[in-house]
PDB file of all heavy atoms in Angstrom:
ATOM      1  N   ILE A 139      -4.886  13.166  -7.352  1.00  0.00           N
ATOM      2  CA  ILE A 139      -3.552  13.364  -7.922  1.00  0.00           C
ATOM      3  C   ILE A 139      -3.192  12.144  -8.765  1.00  0.00           C
ATOM      4  O   ILE A 139      -3.211  11.020  -8.262  1.00  0.00           O
ATOM      5  CB  ILE A 139      -2.517  13.582  -6.804  1.00  0.00           C
ATOM      6  CG1 ILE A 139      -2.812  14.900  -6.074  1.00  0.00           C
ATOM      7  CG2 ILE A 139      -1.105  13.574  -7.354  1.00  0.00           C
ATOM      8  CD1 ILE A 139      -2.003  15.107  -4.821  1.00  0.00           C
ATOM      9  N   PRO A 140      -2.872  12.341 -10.040  1.00  0.00           N
ATOM     10  CA  PRO A 140      -2.559  11.199 -10.903  1.00  0.00           C
ATOM     11  C   PRO A 140      -1.119  10.717 -10.732  1.00  0.00           C
ATOM     12  O   PRO A 140      -0.257  11.441 -10.215  1.00  0.00           O
ATOM     13  CB  PRO A 140      -2.760  11.773 -12.314  1.00  0.00           C
ATOM     14  CG  PRO A 140      -2.430  13.220 -12.165  1.00  0.00           C
ATOM     15  CD  PRO A 140      -2.866  13.618 -10.771  1.00  0.00           C
ATOM     16  N   LEU A 141      -0.875   9.487 -11.133  1.00  0.00           N
ATOM     17  CA  LEU A 141       0.459   8.898 -11.304  1.00  0.00           C
ATOM     18  C   LEU A 141       1.246   8.713 -10.012  1.00  0.00           C
ATOM     19  O   LEU A 141       1.735   7.617  -9.738  1.00  0.00           O
ATOM     20  CB  LEU A 141       1.281   9.752 -12.290  1.00  0.00           C
ATOM     21  CG  LEU A 141       2.586   9.139 -12.812  1.00  0.00           C
ATOM     22  CD1 LEU A 141       2.331   7.823 -13.525  1.00  0.00           C
ATOM     23  CD2 LEU A 141       3.304  10.107 -13.732  1.00  0.00           C
ATOM     24  N   LEU A 142       1.381   9.753  -9.198  1.00  0.00           N
ATOM     25  CA  LEU A 142       2.228   9.666  -8.002  1.00  0.00           C
ATOM     26  C   LEU A 142       1.787   8.569  -7.031  1.00  0.00           C
ATOM     27  O   LEU A 142       2.648   7.855  -6.481  1.00  0.00           O
ATOM     28  CB  LEU A 142       2.288  11.011  -7.286  1.00  0.00           C
ATOM     29  CG  LEU A 142       2.808  12.209  -8.087  1.00  0.00           C
ATOM     30  CD1 LEU A 142       2.919  13.432  -7.191  1.00  0.00           C
ATOM     31  CD2 LEU A 142       4.141  11.905  -8.741  1.00  0.00           C
ATOM     32  N   PRO A 143       0.473   8.397  -6.780  1.00  0.00           N
ATOM     33  CA  PRO A 143       0.084   7.329  -5.856  1.00  0.00           C
ATOM     34  C   PRO A 143       0.569   5.952  -6.311  1.00  0.00           C
ATOM     35  O   PRO A 143       1.062   5.157  -5.503  1.00  0.00           O
ATOM     36  CB  PRO A 143      -1.451   7.417  -5.853  1.00  0.00           C
ATOM     37  CG  PRO A 143      -1.748   8.818  -6.240  1.00  0.00           C
ATOM     38  CD  PRO A 143      -0.681   9.203  -7.212  1.00  0.00           C
ATOM     39  N   ARG A 144       0.428   5.691  -7.613  1.00  0.00           N
ATOM     40  CA  ARG A 144       0.848   4.373  -8.121  1.00  0.00           C
ATOM     41  C   ARG A 144       2.371   4.224  -8.079  1.00  0.00           C
ATOM     42  O   ARG A 144       2.883   3.133  -7.809  1.00  0.00           O
ATOM     43  CB  ARG A 144       0.329   4.198  -9.551  1.00  0.00           C
ATOM     44  CG  ARG A 144       0.390   2.752 -10.054  1.00  0.00           C
ATOM     45  CD  ARG A 144      -0.495   1.840  -9.198  1.00  0.00           C
ATOM     46  NE  ARG A 144      -0.346   0.449  -9.550  1.00  0.00           N
ATOM     47  CZ  ARG A 144      -1.116  -0.172 -10.451  1.00  0.00           C
ATOM     48  NH1 ARG A 144      -2.066   0.495 -11.091  1.00  0.00           N
ATOM     49  NH2 ARG A 144      -0.950  -1.448 -10.717  1.00  0.00           N
ATOM     50  N   ILE A 145       3.096   5.305  -8.321  1.00  0.00           N
ATOM     51  CA  ILE A 145       4.553   5.249  -8.224  1.00  0.00           C
ATOM     52  C   ILE A 145       4.966   4.859  -6.804  1.00  0.00           C
ATOM     53  O   ILE A 145       5.868   4.029  -6.604  1.00  0.00           O
ATOM     54  CB  ILE A 145       5.172   6.601  -8.630  1.00  0.00           C
ATOM     55  CG1 ILE A 145       5.065   6.788 -10.150  1.00  0.00           C
ATOM     56  CG2 ILE A 145       6.633   6.694  -8.180  1.00  0.00           C
ATOM     57  CD1 ILE A 145       5.511   8.151 -10.638  1.00  0.00           C
ATOM     58  N   LEU A 146       4.290   5.417  -5.799  1.00  0.00           N
ATOM     59  CA  LEU A 146       4.641   5.113  -4.409  1.00  0.00           C
ATOM     60  C   LEU A 146       4.331   3.666  -4.045  1.00  0.00           C
ATOM     61  O   LEU A 146       5.167   2.982  -3.430  1.00  0.00           O
ATOM     62  CB  LEU A 146       3.903   6.065  -3.464  1.00  0.00           C
ATOM     63  CG  LEU A 146       4.398   7.509  -3.454  1.00  0.00           C
ATOM     64  CD1 LEU A 146       3.554   8.348  -2.507  1.00  0.00           C
ATOM     65  CD2 LEU A 146       5.869   7.595  -3.064  1.00  0.00           C
ATOM     66  N   THR A 147       3.142   3.188  -4.401  1.00  0.00           N
ATOM     67  CA  THR A 147       2.807   1.808  -4.026  1.00  0.00           C
ATOM     68  C   THR A 147       3.634   0.798  -4.809  1.00  0.00           C
ATOM     69  O   THR A 147       3.958  -0.275  -4.298  1.00  0.00           O
ATOM     70  CB  THR A 147       1.309   1.518  -4.200  1.00  0.00           C
ATOM     71  OG1 THR A 147       0.896   1.865  -5.526  1.00  0.00           O
ATOM     72  CG2 THR A 147       0.486   2.289  -3.180  1.00  0.00           C
TER      73      THR A 147
END
Side-chain angles (χ1 to χ4, degrees):
I139 294 171
L141 192 59
L142 302 185
R144 195 62 186 268
I145 287 174
L146 288 178
T147 53

